[in-house]
Amino acid sequence: MIWLNFPIIALLAGLLWTTGIVLNLVPRNDGARALRLSADAVVLLGIGVLGSFIVALWLHLERPPLRTMGETRLWYSLFLTTIGFLTYLRWRYRWFLALSLGMAIIFLVVNYLNPDTYDKTLMPALQSPWFIPHVSIMLLSYALVAASSIVGAKALYQTYFGQYEADTLKLADNLVYIGFAFLTIGVSFGALWAKEAWGHYWTWDPKETWALLTWISYLSYIHFRWFQPEKHRLQAWILFLAFFILLMAWFGINYLPSAQSSVHVYSGNM
Amino acid sequence: MTAKALRGILLRWAKAFSGLKLCCIRCSAGHADRQLWLIFVDFFTLGRPTVGVPQPGSPLEPQTTELKTRRLFAQPWKYGEGFVLAGLLTTIGFSLEAFWGPSGLSQIAFPHNIYVGIFFLFFVGSASLMFRKHPLVRWFGTVHAALTSIANFTFLVFVMAMFPQENTAFGDMGTVAPFFKAIGATRMTENWAFLFGLLYFMLCLAFVAFKRTVPFKAKNIGFIITHFGLLITFFASALGSADLKRLIMEVEEGGQINWHAHDMQMVYELPIGVELIDFKVDEFLPKISIVDVHAMKLVLQEGSALPMAKTGLKAELLDWQLEVVEFHPEAKRDSLGNFVPTDEYGNAPAAYVRAYHAGRADAREGWISCGSIQEDPQALRLDFDHSLLLLTPEPEKFSSEVVLYGFDGSSTRETVEVNWPVELFGWKIYQLSYDADMGKWSRSSVLEFVRDPWQPVVYFGLFLVLAGAIEMFWLGQRIRPKEEQEADPADGKP
C-alpha cells in the first residue's frame, strides 16, 4: 500500500464520510434506529479505511508516516473524525460530527489535489512524536472556540437588533467547554514537547504567550458565565473579542514585531 | 489568636478613623480630596460601615442620594473593589519597576523559595480554615475576586505579548519607546506588577481551592483537581524559576573530556564529563530548482514542491522536463570537471541532469552541485534567463555520539539528538547547536545541560489540570438551576 493507492482510498473514505454527513444532517427523531446505525456505520467504516491505509503505509515505509505534511494530513483526517465521533457518542451533537467529517474530507482533497506539495523535509525539532497530537489538538480546539465566537456574534446581534434567546449562548457554552478542554490539552502537550525539544516547558515564546491569552480569555468567559448567566451581553462581547486574540495566536503572531524568531514562525525559511 | 480577637483589633482601629466623614467614592461631589484616604481606610477597616454611615439597603439610608449605589469597599466587596485593588497593585508594580528596578522573583532560589511556598500555603490554608467567615477570606473565594484577578492577569500577559521581552530571544528591542522600557514592559516576568498580579491570582485560586476542598464533597472533585492543579503548576513554575539551570557546553571531536559548562554569568563544574566521539548531520536529499539569473531568485511554482534529486528521477519544472541521469550524495570533481563519488572530507552532492524544453530541439545537459566547504557550486545554464541549481541539502537530524563520565566513575555511551535528550544525575542533556559554518563537516557540538528540580512538581500540577480538562470534556456545562429560574428582565423579554 503506497501513495499511488491514495486516490482510491481518499475517494472511498470521502464518499463514506459524505454519506455520513448527509445521514447526520437529515432531521431524524429518536426512533429512527436504522438511520442512526447506518450513519454510525459509514463514519466508522471511513475511519477504518483511512486507518488501515495509514497502517499499511507505515509498514511499507518502515517508519511512522509522520514526516511529510502530506502524511500529517492523513493523521489530521483520522484524528478529526475519531474525535468527532467520540464527541458525538458522548454529546450526540450530529452537527459537530458533520463538521469534523467535512474538515477531514478537506484534508483528503488537499492531499489528492497536491500529491507533490508535501515537502519531504521536516526540520529536526519538528520530528517528534508530540508533533501530531499537539498540532492536531490545537487546530481542533481553535476550530471549536472560533465556532463559539461566531455564536457569540449571533448573541450580540440578537441583543442589539432583535430578541436575545437564552439557547444561543448555551450552544456557545458547549462549544467553549469542549474547545477549552482541548485547548488545555493542546497547550499542555506543547509544554511537554517543549521540554524534550527545547529544554524547558515554557519559555514565553510569543506563540505561547498568545495561546495563554486565548486560554485566559475563554477561562474568564467560563467563570463569568457560570456565576452570572444573566449578564449575557457582556459575555457575548467577551466571546467576540476572544476571537481576535485567538486569531492573533493562530496566525497573527507571524506578523507581529515582538514575535520574530519565535520557534513557531516558519516563514522566511526559504 | 482567634478570628474574633483579630477582628476586634481591626474594628478598634476602624473606630479611630470613624471621625472622618466617609462617603462613597462614586458620590464624589465635594469630597474629592478624601477619596484616596477613603480607599485606604476602608481597605484596612475591611469596609465595615463606620459610625454615622447608613448601611446600603438599610431603611435608614436616604434613597434620594447616590449612596444607594453601594459604598466602595463596603462589605460584601464586588467587582468595583476587585478592579480598584488590581489597578492599585498594577500601578504600584509598574511604579516600583520604574523607580526601584526589577522584582528579582527569579533570584529567590533554594531554599528560600521553599520557605515562601510553605508560608503561602500555610497562610492561605490556615486562614481559609480558621477564619472562614472573615470578610477578606470570603472575598478571595468569590467570583468577583476571581474574575478581576483573571482580568488583571490577562492585561499583564497582553502587555507581555505586545512588547518584545528581554530575557527571550524574540523580537527587536530597538522599536520600544523608552517609557515602556522604564516601566518594565519589556521584562514582564521580572516585573513587580507581574509579581503582584500573579500573587493576587494565586491568592484567589488558593482560597477558592481550599474553600471547595473543606468540607469535602465528592461532586467537587473536578473543581478541586483543576484549581489545585493550576495553582501548583503556576506556583511551582514561578517559584522554581530561580532553581532552573540552563548551561551550555562546547565539545570537540577528539578533544578532552569536558566537565565544565557555563551560562551568561559563570562557569560551573558538573557531575558529568562529556567526550564527543562523533557529531553527525543527516541530510535530506538536495532539491533541484530553477533560478532566474537576472533577479537572482528561485522560480517557484505555486502548489508544487521542488523535486529531490536521485538517480533516475524524472520531473517537470517550469516548461522543462528534467531527468537525473546520475546522482551522488557525496562526490568531488575529477581533473576533467566530472563529479565522482567519494567519501573524502569536504565532498558535495552532485547530479548529472538532462533538461528538455517543449519548444526546443536540443537538450541541455551537465553537472549541477550545491558545492561544499571545499567544492565550488555548479549550475547548468538552461536559457538566457534561467539556470538549473542543486540546493544545499536541508538537515534531517543532528546528533552527537558521546561518552558520558559520571563523578562516581561510571561511563555510558549515548546519542544526544534533537527531541531526544539524555538524562543523567538529574541533568537533561540536549543537542543545541554545532559549527554552522562547517555544516555537516562540523567537528564540534554544542550541548545544553538543563536541571530543573521543580519540574516534577510542575508536571504533577499539569497532570491534574489535564485530568480536569478530560473531566470537563466528559461532563461539559452542567445546566445551572439558577439560570433556569432566572426569567431575566434584562433579556428584553416581555
Side-chain angles (χ1 to χ4, degrees):
Chain A
M1 195 65 76
I2 50 168
W3 276 109
L4 282 178
N5 305 102
F6 180 70
I8 190 100
I9 296 289
L11 189 69
L12 198 59
L15 279 178
L16 284 167
W17 287 341
T18 312
T19 320
I21 292 176
V22 173
L23 290 180
N24 270 304
L25 290 183
V26 169
R28 69 185 188 213
N29 52 27
D30 294 337
R33 193 153 175 272
L35 189 59
R36 197 189 72 213
L37 285 181
S38 47
D40 292 358
V42 286
V43 173
L44 280 179
L45 210 57
I47 294 176
V49 166
L50 186 64
S52 345
F53 176 69
I54 292 177
V55 171
L57 196 64
W58 192 327
L59 294 175
H60 172 79
L61 293 172
E62 295 171 356
R63 64 167 170 83
L66 287 166
R67 190 177 288 166
T68 70
M69 285 310 285
E71 287 164 4
T72 57
R73 279 197 286 264
L74 291 178
W75 290 94
Y76 286 160
S77 299
L78 189 74
F79 277 153
L80 275 170
T81 44
T82 310
I83 290 171
F85 192 71
L86 281 179
T87 311
Y88 158 77
L89 276 189
R90 174 67 186 90
W91 290 104
R92 294 285 153 194
Y93 290 147
R94 283 185 279 142
W95 58 268
F96 182 71
L97 179 57
L99 185 79
S100 54
L101 289 177
M103 277 172 73
I105 291 174
I106 290 173
F107 281 124
L108 289 184
V109 171
V110 170
N111 257 9
Y112 172 71
L113 290 180
N114 298 312
D116 275 334
T117 44
Y118 30 88
D119 198 336
K120 295 198 176 79
T121 61
L122 191 62
M123 55 189 282
L126 295 187
Q127 296 169 27
S128 161
W130 289 106
F131 181 44
I132 295 286
H134 169 63
V135 176
S136 53
I137 291 175
M138 286 310 288
L139 271 181
L140 185 78
S141 67
Y142 280 174
L144 279 166
V145 291
S148 80
S149 290
I150 296 169
V151 179
K154 186 184 170 193
L156 272 183
Y157 178 83
Q158 283 180 347
T159 309
Y160 287 101
F161 300 108
Q163 194 79 270
Y164 171 74
E165 291 163 24
D167 278 345
T168 315
L169 278 188
K170 278 189 192 156
L171 173 63
D173 287 347
N174 288 323
L175 288 166
V176 169
Y177 265 66
I178 301 173
F180 187 77
F182 280 122
L183 190 59
T184 311
I185 296 170
V187 172
S188 309
F189 279 10
L192 295 176
W193 175 11
K195 180 70 199 171
E196 295 310 302
W198 289 276
H200 197 45
Y201 47 81
W202 195 269
T203 48
W204 295 106
D205 178 280
K207 190 96 171 180
E208 292 170 359
T209 310
W210 280 100
L212 179 66
L213 262 185
T214 312
W215 190 81
I216 311 176
S217 309
Y218 289 100
L219 185 75
S220 55
Y221 172 81
I222 290 172
H223 281 80
F224 196 27
R225 182 94 183 118
W226 178 260
F227 286 100
Q228 266 148 336
E230 71 283 358
K231 299 204 168 168
H232 53 80
R233 185 187 300 175
L234 191 51
Q235 284 152 8
W237 272 112
I238 295 178
L239 271 190
F240 189 67
L241 293 178
F243 183 59
F244 290 96
I245 294 176
L246 169 75
L247 285 184
M248 281 303 292
W250 200 341
F251 2 77
I253 66 144
N254 292 1
Y255 310 101
L256 207 66
S258 62
Q260 295 318 306
S261 70
S262 154
V263 296
H264 288 92
V265 175
Y266 300 109
S267 57
N269 277 350
M270 202 56 214
Chain B
M1 187 189 295
T2 64
K4 209 173 169 186
L6 188 72
R7 217 175 296 146
I9 294 171
L10 283 168
L11 260 179
R12 233 169 295 142
W13 198 33
K15 275 182 185 155
F17 284 93
S18 63
L20 285 171
K21 191 184 171 194
L22 298 178
C23 82
C24 172
I25 195 164
R26 285 172 206 156
C27 72
S28 52
H31 303 289
D33 55 330
R34 287 264 165 80
Q35 285 177 16
L36 255 183
W37 262 117
L38 187 76
I39 294 168
F40 187 74
V41 170
D42 273 357
F43 186 81
F44 285 103
T45 59
L46 304 169
R48 282 177 174 278
T50 33
V51 184
V53 179
Q55 185 132 23
S58 78
L60 286 175
E61 192 186 7
Q63 295 298 310
T64 46
T65 72
E66 283 179 82
L67 271 173
K68 75 180 172 198
T69 63
R70 226 169 38 85
R71 261 187 53 209
L72 195 64
F73 284 100
Q75 287 294 344
W77 291 6
K78 295 243 153 117
Y79 288 114
E81 288 81 0
F83 278 116
V84 169
L85 184 60
L88 277 176
L89 286 177
T90 304
T91 316
I92 295 172
F94 279 128
S95 312
L96 271 178
E97 187 73 22
F99 297 114
W100 189 344
S103 68
L105 173 65
S106 65
Q107 310 297 320
I108 310 173
F110 178 83
H112 305 288
N113 46 11
I114 301 253
Y115 301 152
V116 172
I118 290 175
F119 173 76
F120 179 88
L121 289 178
F122 180 76
F123 170 75
V124 176
S126 55
S128 62
L129 295 181
M130 290 159 60
F131 303 94
R132 266 191 110 73
K133 299 250 166 77
H134 190 282
L136 260 186
V137 173
R138 263 196 185 160
W139 186 71
F140 273 113
T142 60
V143 65
H144 309 105
L147 273 171
T148 48
S149 72
I150 292 174
N152 183 44
F153 192 63
T154 310
F155 168 73
L156 296 168
V157 178
F158 184 74
V159 173
M160 189 186 302
M162 291 311 289
F163 292 97
Q165 298 294 305
E166 277 167 18
N167 53 354
T168 62
F170 318 118
D172 175 13
M173 300 303 298
T175 57
V176 182
F179 172 75
F180 294 112
K181 276 188 185 163
I183 62 165
T186 54
R187 41 174 195 276
M188 286 303 284
T189 51
E190 289 287 294
N191 203 308
W192 284 100
F194 192 77
L195 177 64
F196 292 158
L198 194 64
L199 195 64
Y200 181 27
F201 189 46
M202 293 291 100
L203 276 172
C204 294
L205 202 50
F207 271 113
V208 89
F210 277 112
K211 181 175 142 189
R212 280 285 184 103
T213 311
V214 184
F216 181 77
K217 286 190 192 120
K219 65 168 186 177
N220 286 341
I221 284 182
F223 184 98
I224 295 168
I225 284 178
T226 43
H227 287 75
F228 267 116
L230 200 59
L231 178 69
I232 293 169
T233 309
F234 273 54
F235 203 54
S237 50
L239 276 183
S241 62
D243 290 338
L244 172 71
K245 285 264 175 296
R246 302 188 68 164
L247 310 177
I248 290 174
M249 176 192 276
E250 286 95 3
V251 272
E252 194 85 29
E253 273 176 32
Q256 285 184 333
I257 304 169
N258 193 351
W259 293 85
H260 294 90
H262 61 88
D263 59 13
M264 302 293 269
Q265 278 99 34
M266 57 187 286
V267 177
Y268 297 81
E269 188 171 337
L270 299 171
I272 303 160
V274 181
E275 182 187 2
L276 180 64
I277 306 296
D278 189 16
F279 173 72
K280 269 197 303 210
V281 181
D282 294 359
E283 290 171 330
F284 288 109
L285 294 173
K287 293 171 181 166
I288 302 175
S289 174
I290 290 179
V291 66
D292 181 325
V293 291
H294 307 300
M296 286 310 282
K297 271 172 86 173
L298 294 184
V299 183
L300 298 171
Q301 279 172 299
E302 291 256 329
S304 69
L306 298 171
M308 291 169 117
K310 67 179 184 197
T311 304
L313 173 89
K314 290 200 166 88
E316 200 180 317
L317 269 182
L318 292 181
D319 297 329
W320 294 87
Q321 298 286 336
L322 303 178
E323 187 191 341
V324 178
V325 183
E326 261 179 74
F327 171 71
H328 308 299
E330 299 187 311
K332 279 194 162 187
R333 280 188 186 82
D334 64 9
S335 52
L336 298 172
N338 292 319
F339 281 87
V340 285
T342 171
D343 57 1
E344 268 176 49
Y345 178 78
N347 60 43
Y352 191 84
V353 187
R354 253 185 224 123
Y356 309 90
H357 191 280
R360 293 163 207 256
D362 60 327
R364 298 272 172 180
E365 60 183 289
W367 286 99
I368 53 175
S369 171
C370 56
S372 69
I373 51 168
Q374 287 197 339
E375 291 292 321
D376 288 327
Q378 183 159 338
L380 175 66
R381 191 67 174 241
L382 294 174
D383 58 22
F384 184 69
D385 298 319
H386 300 104
S387 280
L388 196 66
L389 289 186
L390 194 64
L391 302 180
T392 307
E394 291 166 45
E396 183 185 2
K397 192 166 108 178
F398 305 106
S399 58
S400 296
E401 215 183 313
V402 290
V403 179
L404 302 176
Y405 297 92
F407 67 96
D408 54 359
S410 63
S411 72
T412 48
R413 201 178 169 114
E414 296 276 2
T415 306
V416 184
E417 199 185 304
V418 176
N419 263 313
W420 304 101
V422 171
E423 197 162 1
L424 195 63
F425 302 133
W427 289 87
K428 272 198 166 190
I429 308 166
Y430 295 81
Q431 177 68 51
L432 184 68
S433 184
Y434 63 108
D435 185 349
D437 290 340
M438 297 289 281
K440 75 176 203 178
W441 303 105
S442 171
R443 291 173 55 80
S444 66
S445 175
V446 184
L447 303 175
E448 185 177 27
F449 279 68
V450 181
R451 189 179 152 85
D452 185 5
W454 289 69
Q455 189 209 327
V457 188
V458 176
Y459 275 23
F460 174 66
L462 198 61
F463 286 124
L464 288 185
V465 173
L466 276 176
I470 291 164
E471 195 246 8
M472 186 175 188
F473 166 76
W474 200 247
L475 293 182
Q477 164 76 292
R478 280 148 291 194
I479 310 241
R480 305 197 71 208
K482 188 182 170 191
E483 189 181 6
E484 299 298 278
Q485 288 157 12
E486 215 109 28
D488 188 359
D491 277 355
K493 283 175 187 160

